[in-house]
Amino acid sequence: MRSADLHPYPAAVLETARRRRLFGPADRVLVALSGGADSTALLAALAALRDAGALAEVRALYLDHGLRAGSEPEAASARAACARLGVPLEERRLAVGAGNVQAEARRVRYAALREAAARAGSTRIATGHTLGDQAETVLLRLLRGAGARGLGAIPPRRGVVIRPLIDRTREEGDAYLRALGLGWADDPTNAAPRYARNRLRLELWPLLRAVAPAADRALARAADLAREDERALDRRARAVAGDGTAVDVAALRGEPLAVRRRAVRRLWRAATGSGRALEAHHVAAVLALLRRRGPGEIALPGGRRARCRYGRLELLAGPAAPAPEVAPVEVPGPGRYALPALRVVVEVGAARPDAVPWPLTLRTRRPGDRFRPDGGPGGTKLKRWLIDRKVPREARDRLVLLAAPGDAVLAVPELGAVAEGLGPSGAGLRVRISAAPGTDGSYCKGGEGLL
C-alpha cells in the first residue's frame, strides 16, 4: 500500500502516524466519535487507511454525556457515518458528577473509552484533536503562564491514546468530508461564550490570523519544540531524583533551576501517584528549603510534607512525628559516638584537644540552652539563635548538640557552628554527623553542617 494511492487527507494522516509513531498495520483502533466534523473526518480517514491495509480494524464509540437536551442529531450523524464507512459503533450514555463539569466529563469519557477498548481488543484509542485544537491549547496555557510542560499542550500520543489529526486543520477535515459527501452535526455548545476556548476561537483567533495567517501552525510547532525540551529536562530530573521520594541535596543544588523544579515534581508523583495538586508556588516553597542554612520543613497539599535535613530532601506523608527521646551520650574526648534514637553516628575531634573543656555531652536541646557562636555576636539563648536562622520547631527539637555541663552549647554541627574560642583560630573543634550503619539512607553520609 502506498500513500500516493490514497486521497491526500488520509495520506497526510498516515504520514503523521508514521512520523509520530501513532499506529501500525497490526493496530486495532477505537475512535472517539462525537458526530461532529473533526471526529467524523478522523473516522473517515482511518476507515480509508483500514481499507488500504494500514490498520487492522477501526471501531467507534459514541458517548452521550447527558449534559444537554437535543443531542440526537450528533448520535444520528455518528450512526450514519459508521453505516456508510462500515465501522462497528457502540453507543453509551454517561453520568457526569458534580464539580468542574468539563473536567469530570473528560474523566468519565476517557474511562469509558478505555473500558470499550479493552472489551473490543482495541490497541489504540483515537481522538479528533486537530492542529487548531493544539494551537488554541498552547495560547490558553501561555496566557496562564505555563512552562515547557504546559506549552507542550496536547501530546500526539499518550499511552494508547493517539491524535492522528494533530497536524491537520479543521478546514482540511471539512473539505475531505464534503469530497466524500459525508455529513456531520454541529454541537451548539461550541458557540457558547461562557467557555474561554470558544471565546478565543470566535473572537481572538480571527484577529490573530489577520496578523499571522499561519499562527496555528506556528503555535503547534512551538508545542512540539516545548515537548522535546520537556522530555530532555525530565530525563535529567529522572537521573537526579530517580523514582523515589527523596533526593540528595548536593546533587539537586548542582542542577539548573528548570531541572530542580522537575525533580520536585517527580518526588511528588512518586509520593502521590499523581502530578495533580502540586502548584508552582508549592514547588518554589520546596526549593526554598535548599537555601536554608539548617534543616527545614513545609506543609504540602493532602497532608504531605517536604523535609530537608542531613543532606536529603524528602516528601513525607502525614503530620510530623514527635521528636524522639534521645539519651545523652558522654563525650570524654575525641572519638565516634552513636545516637541510636536518631540513627546517626557523631565523630568528634579537635586540632588542639587540650583546648576543649572535656568531658562534654551529645544531646538534644533543653530549656535555657545558650550559645555564643565563634566570630558572632555575644551570647544568646539557643532558641532565639535557631529562630533567627529560620530553623522550624520540629527540626530544632531534633538537632544534635555538643554541650558542656549546664546550659552552654559548644557546637551545633548540623548548622556548621561552634562556640567562641572553639573555631579554627582556637581549639579547631570538629563535629561530623553521618548515618548509622544499616539505616535506610534518610541521613546523608558525612558532611559538617550539611543539611
Side-chain angles (χ1 to χ4, degrees):
M1 185 274 303
R2 299 178 306 165
S3 58
D5 300 329
L6 291 165
H7 181 284
Y9 186 78
V13 172
L14 179 60
E15 171 58 26
T16 289
R18 287 172 171 169
R19 179 166 54 86
R20 297 186 182 274
R21 300 180 181 179
L22 303 184
F23 58 75
D27 279 309
R28 303 156 65 90
V29 180
L30 175 68
V31 175
L33 183 61
S34 69
D38 295 340
S39 65
T40 303
L42 172 65
L43 182 79
L46 294 184
L49 294 178
R50 173 205 60 191
D51 296 343
L55 282 171
E57 180 185 75
V58 178
R59 307 177 68 89
L61 175 64
Y62 172 80
L63 298 171
D64 183 349
H65 294 80
L67 295 176
R68 62 180 177 82
S71 61
E72 179 54 32
E74 289 102 302
S77 178
R79 295 183 201 112
C82 287
R84 163 84 177 273
L85 299 168
V87 175
L89 174 66
E90 178 186 351
E91 298 182 47
R92 282 191 60 187
R93 185 176 179 86
L94 302 178
V96 178
N100 185 325
V101 174
Q102 286 186 311
E104 179 64 10
R106 185 182 187 279
R107 186 190 68 79
V108 298
R109 177 167 63 252
Y110 276 94
L113 285 165
R114 292 181 188 280
E115 291 170 8
R119 288 195 306 272
S122 299
T123 57
R124 298 285 187 270
I125 297 169
T127 67
H129 292 93
T130 66
L131 184 83
D133 293 316
Q134 182 72 297
E136 291 164 3
T137 302
V138 173
L139 194 53
L140 287 169
R141 293 186 178 180
L142 184 63
L143 294 173
R144 292 202 299 263
R149 183 170 180 267
L151 295 179
I154 306 171
R157 176 175 175 179
R158 176 175 286 157
V160 300
V161 178
I162 59 174
R163 280 89 184 204
L165 304 188
I166 203 67
D167 298 322
R168 309 271 59 84
T169 66
R170 295 188 183 98
E171 292 80 6
E172 290 175 304
D174 293 354
Y176 179 52
L177 293 178
R178 284 193 293 268
L180 296 178
L182 197 59
W184 67 86
D186 290 319
D187 182 348
T189 62
N190 287 336
R194 67 179 179 274
Y195 298 122
R197 185 179 292 269
N198 290 350
R199 293 198 302 274
L200 184 151
R201 184 180 301 168
L202 299 172
E203 301 171 16
L204 181 58
W205 204 249
L207 300 176
L208 286 175
R209 279 189 165 170
V211 175
D216 51 359
R217 293 196 179 278
L219 288 168
R221 172 165 171 73
D224 284 342
L225 295 174
R227 206 176 306 111
E228 290 169 5
D229 289 349
E230 177 63 24
R231 280 196 291 264
L233 290 167
D234 193 58
R235 281 195 296 270
R236 184 62 201 163
R238 184 184 301 115
V240 175
D243 297 316
T245 58
V247 63
D248 180 77
V249 166
L252 194 57
R253 282 175 175 159
E255 295 295 330
L257 179 58
V259 174
R260 296 201 298 270
R261 289 190 183 114
R262 285 159 178 81
V264 170
R265 291 192 179 280
R266 287 193 65 83
L267 298 181
W268 178 259
R269 286 195 295 271
T272 66
S274 170
R276 297 178 180 177
L278 192 71
E279 299 181 6
H281 68 93
H282 296 132
V283 175
V286 173
L287 292 178
L289 293 174
L290 304 182
R291 298 192 293 271
R292 288 178 178 268
R293 293 183 58 190
E297 181 174 308
I298 62 166
L300 293 174
R304 295 188 178 272
R305 298 175 288 133
R307 182 175 69 188
C308 185
R309 65 174 187 172
Y310 296 107
R312 302 285 285 177
L313 173 65
E314 303 172 278
L315 260 61
L316 307 168
E325 293 289 335
V326 179
V329 173
E330 185 175 349
V331 180
R336 288 171 58 85
Y337 301 90
L339 291 176
L342 295 176
R343 300 179 296 165
V344 297
V345 171
V346 182
E347 183 178 353
V348 181
R352 289 169 291 283
D354 58 336
V356 178
W358 316 102
L360 304 175
T361 302
L362 285 169
R363 60 173 175 82
T364 53
R365 71 185 184 120
R366 296 172 179 169
D369 277 344
R370 303 188 67 82
F371 181 56
R372 184 171 183 170
D374 192 54
T380 184
K381 289 186 177 180
L382 176 66
K383 177 180 178 180
R384 172 50 55 189
W385 188 83
L386 294 173
I387 290 173
D388 289 344
R389 278 146 189 80
K390 303 187 186 311
V391 179
R393 169 66 183 271
E394 186 269 342
R396 299 198 298 267
D397 290 339
R398 294 172 179 269
L399 285 175
V400 174
L401 306 177
L402 183 64
D407 59 9
V409 174
L410 302 188
V412 188
E414 293 153 285
L415 300 183
V418 296
E420 184 178 42
L422 299 179
S425 61
L429 181 66
R430 299 188 304 272
V431 186
R432 183 180 178 87
I433 300 178
S434 61
T439 63
D440 62 3
S442 296
Y443 302 84
C444 71
K445 294 188 176 182
E448 294 179 59
L450 296 179
L451 293 152

